Amino acid sequence: MTIDKDDLLNSIMESLGRVQHIALEDIPNIDLYMDQVTTFMESKLKSTVRNADTDKILTKTMINNYAKNDLLPPPVKKKYSKEHVLMLIFIYYYKNILSINDIQTLLGPISEKYFQAREGLNLGDIYEEIFSLEKTQVDNLKKDILEKFETTRSTFMDVPKEEQEFLQLFSFIGLLSFDVYIKKLLIEKMVDTFGNAASKESGKDKK
C-alpha cells in the first residue's frame, strides 16, 4: 500500500480552510416553510458532509423528530423563524458527538430563555458570540494536527517501508481519535454540569 502522507495532510489543511459557519446575516429574516429551511441548510452546509451525493444535512423527518423531542420550538402556522434556523444549526453540529438527551439538556435552557427574547440578549447574539471564535480555533486546530502528524511520522521506524506508511497513517488516525474521545468525555461531563446549573437557575426563576 502506497500512501502519500504529505498529500493527505495538504488535503486535510485545505478542508479545514474551507470550514465556515453560516453567517447570521445570511440567514433569511423572513419566516420559512419546512422545504425552504431544508434547502437553505443544504446549500450552506453541504460541504461539511462526507458523501455529498448521498448524505443529507436536514430532512423533514429530522425536523419533526427534533420538535417531538423538544429540541426545537414548534413552528408558527407551519413557518420557521430565523431563530428556528439558528437552533437547527446548533443541533446539526451537536448531533455528531452528543446524544439527543444531551442536546436537549444544552439547548432546552437556551431556548427557554433566549428564543425570541423581547429584550436583552437573544439567540442571534449568542450565535454570533460563539461562532466569532471560529477563525482562531481553526488556526489552532491546524497547528495541533500538524504537531500530531509530525509525532506519528516517528513511529514504526523499524518496519519495512510499505508497512511503515500504512502503520503511521493508522497511528495518526489513532492519535486524532484519542483526542476526540477525551474531548467527548469532557463535553459530556460539562453537559451534566450545565444541566444541573440550568435546573437551579430555573428553580430560582420560578420562585
Side-chain angles (χ1 to χ4, degrees):
M1 177 182 291
T2 301
I3 300 168
D4 192 324
K5 293 190 293 296
D6 289 326
D7 276 355
L8 174 64
L9 185 64
N10 289 334
S11 176
I12 292 171
M13 292 296 114
E14 287 174 6
S15 296
L16 285 173
R18 292 194 298 269
V19 171
Q20 289 185 331
H21 73 279
I22 300 175
L24 186 64
E25 60 268 22
D26 288 343
I27 302 173
N29 280 315
I30 58 172
D31 293 346
L32 305 174
Y33 287 107
M34 187 181 285
D35 284 342
Q36 294 172 308
V37 172
T38 56
T39 299
F40 173 78
M41 293 285 283
E42 194 81 12
S43 68
K44 293 296 183 180
L45 294 172
K46 193 67 175 179
S47 63
T48 66
V49 299
R50 186 176 185 178
N51 299 302
D53 293 334
T54 56
D55 293 347
K56 293 291 184 182
I57 299 296
L58 190 66
T59 65
K60 295 178 183 179
T61 301
M62 289 179 191
I63 293 177
N64 287 330
N65 284 338
Y66 297 153
K68 189 184 300 181
N69 285 284
D70 296 323
L71 298 181
L72 188 70
V76 178
K77 296 180 179 178
K78 297 185 179 180
K79 284 191 172 185
Y80 298 83
S81 67
K82 185 171 185 172
E83 292 193 323
H84 279 105
V85 176
L86 291 174
M87 294 292 289
L88 286 168
I89 294 170
F90 279 124
I91 293 169
Y92 175 74
Y93 286 116
Y94 286 139
K95 72 176 184 175
N96 292 302
I97 54 172
L98 294 175
S99 67
I100 290 293
N101 285 340
D102 281 344
I103 299 174
Q104 188 177 32
T105 298
L106 272 179
L107 294 185
I110 298 296
S111 175
E112 183 179 344
K113 192 163 187 176
Y114 302 108
F115 188 86
Q116 295 181 344
R118 300 299 180 202
E119 55 184 35
L121 201 67
N122 60 41
L123 199 57
D125 297 326
I126 294 171
Y127 180 85
E128 280 278 81
E129 186 80 14
I130 291 172
F131 283 96
S132 67
L133 305 173
E134 177 192 272
K135 180 63 168 64
T136 302
Q137 291 309 303
V138 169
D139 289 343
N140 289 339
L141 185 58
K142 285 182 179 181
K143 292 176 185 176
D144 181 61
I145 288 174
L146 283 171
E147 288 176 4
K148 286 181 170 58
F149 179 74
E150 290 303 322
T151 297
T152 56
R153 290 187 86 160
S154 64
T155 60
F156 300 105
M157 298 301 291
D158 298 329
V159 302
K161 178 71 173 176
E162 292 177 359
E163 292 180 49
Q164 184 185 95
E165 291 179 342
F166 171 74
L167 290 171
Q168 284 181 348
L169 177 59
F170 184 71
S171 179
F172 185 37
I173 293 170
L175 195 53
L176 291 172
S177 299
F178 180 71
D179 186 62
V180 173
Y181 168 72
I182 293 298
K183 287 177 179 175
K184 184 174 184 292
L185 289 180
L186 291 174
I187 290 169
E188 288 171 345
K189 287 185 179 297
M190 287 187 285
V191 168
D192 292 339
T193 302
F194 180 88
N196 291 333
S199 295
K200 290 178 182 177
E201 187 68 25
S202 178
K204 288 180 184 178
D205 291 343
K206 288 177 182 177
K207 289 178 181 179

